[in-house]
Amino acid sequence: AQKITQTQPGMFVQEKEAVTLDCTYDTSDQSYGLFWYKQPSSGEMIFLIYQGSYDEQNATEGRYSLNFQKARKSANLVISASQLGDSAMYFCAMREDNQGGKLIFGQGTELSVKP
Amino acid sequence: DVKVTQSSRYLVKRTGEKVFLECVQDMDHENMFWYRQDPGLGLRLIYFSYDVKMKEKGDIPEGYSVSREKKERFSLILESASTNQTSMYLCASSRAGGRREQYFGPGTRLTVT
């Protein structure tokens, strides 16, 4: 069974608008971490934001925020005020603490920002 | 600034050749990882290492081996390259504790002909 599900293979957003990228996860662990990565066309994976399972507040990093709904097992990424440089693949990932430092990645969402 | 480097951005090898992919990190990270990325399949973990001379199999270790003789260096070895190993290979490193976010290298696009 998929542990990380990203249901949107591709998304379009107008420049300067906000966009939400969906991620749901499946784990029976109580202690885990959730991550979002950005992969531009150059290929390098860039770490964006982290949410721990015990964190009560939603994580924010600049224009990125993580909408964490623990009961629904969702960890959506919200990008505010989209820029052309935000066009990239975005991956959601999970670390289960009983599995050490390994990450499980979703299939990714390709975001295209229109001028 | 954190840095993970990989020995080549692009590599073309022939079927049956032995291939070495090198990864070096300068962050004194304990953990290191090798992934391959294929369209529609996302990132899949090949091998990882939590310490020098230690290695653990990931989800798709068949056809690969690894070596970690020094903390900063993690090598992926294709003993006898095959065309189905044509892929993008990504190396990453992380701390052993805390958030353990992984930092990635630029990737090596390997083509086996």
Side-chain angles (χ1 to χ4, degrees):
Chain A
Q2 289 272 38
K3 288 217 166 189
I4 297 285
T5 303
Q6 295 179 252
T7 56
Q8 307 149 313
M11 291 273 290
F12 288 93
V13 65
Q14 205 68 36
E15 195 178 7
K16 298 179 187 170
E17 290 185 352
V19 63
T20 298
L21 306 184
D22 294 342
C23 173
T24 57
Y25 60 93
D26 182 24
T27 182
S28 54
D29 272 14
Q30 295 302 305
S31 181
Y32 53 90
L34 297 157
F35 304 79
W36 278 92
Y37 284 85
K38 172 184 179 181
Q39 187 178 42
S41 55
S42 59
E44 187 165 353
M45 296 281 283
I46 302 165
F47 166 65
L48 293 178
I49 195 166
Y50 167 82
Q51 180 85 40
S53 59
Y54 293 115
D55 295 341
E56 294 186 354
Q57 304 259 17
N58 285 342
T60 59
E61 289 285 349
R63 294 187 297 112
Y64 304 108
S65 60
L66 200 153
N67 184 359
F68 181 45
Q69 297 188 42
K70 194 170 182 176
R72 295 180 60 186
K73 293 189 175 176
S74 79
N76 298 340
L77 177 70
V78 180
I79 306 174
S80 63
S82 298
Q83 301 172 357
L84 296 178
D86 293 334
S87 294
M89 283 290 288
Y90 289 81
F91 291 92
C92 180
M94 175 175 66
R95 184 203 72 240
E96 293 171 303
D97 285 356
N98 71 358
Q99 296 293 317
K102 293 193 295 183
L103 293 183
I104 304 163
F105 285 85
Q107 299 296 311
T109 295
E110 184 169 10
L111 177 67
S112 298
V113 180
K114 295 181 175 180
Chain B
D1 202 15
V2 298
K3 196 122 174 118
V4 180
T5 57
Q6 294 183 230
S7 48
S8 307
R9 286 302 305 268
Y10 299 94
L11 208 52
V12 180
K13 294 290 182 181
R14 293 193 181 276
T15 302
E17 278 193 84
K18 191 167 185 175
V19 182
F20 292 87
L21 302 182
E22 304 283 333
C23 175
V24 178
Q25 51 97 1
D26 67 358
M27 296 165 281
D28 201 34
H29 283 168
E30 293 82 6
N31 302 337
M32 295 189 76
F33 306 84
W34 273 107
Y35 296 89
R36 66 176 281 176
Q37 183 178 19
D38 301 286
L41 296 177
L43 274 78
R44 294 180 291 167
L45 183 63
I46 305 171
Y47 267 97
F48 59 103
S49 169
Y50 289 147
D51 202 351
V52 175
K53 298 198 186 293
M54 291 184 67
K55 60 185 179 184
E56 304 241 6
K57 292 180 180 179
D59 299 318
I60 51 162
E62 296 78 19
Y64 303 94
S65 62
V66 290
S67 171
R68 193 167 180 200
E69 296 297 317
K70 293 186 176 182
K71 189 176 185 179
E72 67 271 18
R73 189 178 296 268
F74 193 35
S75 302
L76 180 69
I77 303 152
L78 286 66
E79 295 289 343
S80 177
S82 63
T83 54
N84 63 11
Q85 292 178 309
T86 291
S87 186
M88 169 72 103
Y89 290 87
L90 291 162
C91 174
S93 71
S94 75
R95 294 212 174 280
R99 300 190 313 189
R100 285 167 277 175
E101 71 270 26
Q102 292 184 14
Y103 292 92
F104 284 79
T108 295
R109 191 167 291 282
L110 172 68
T111 302
V112 182
T113 61

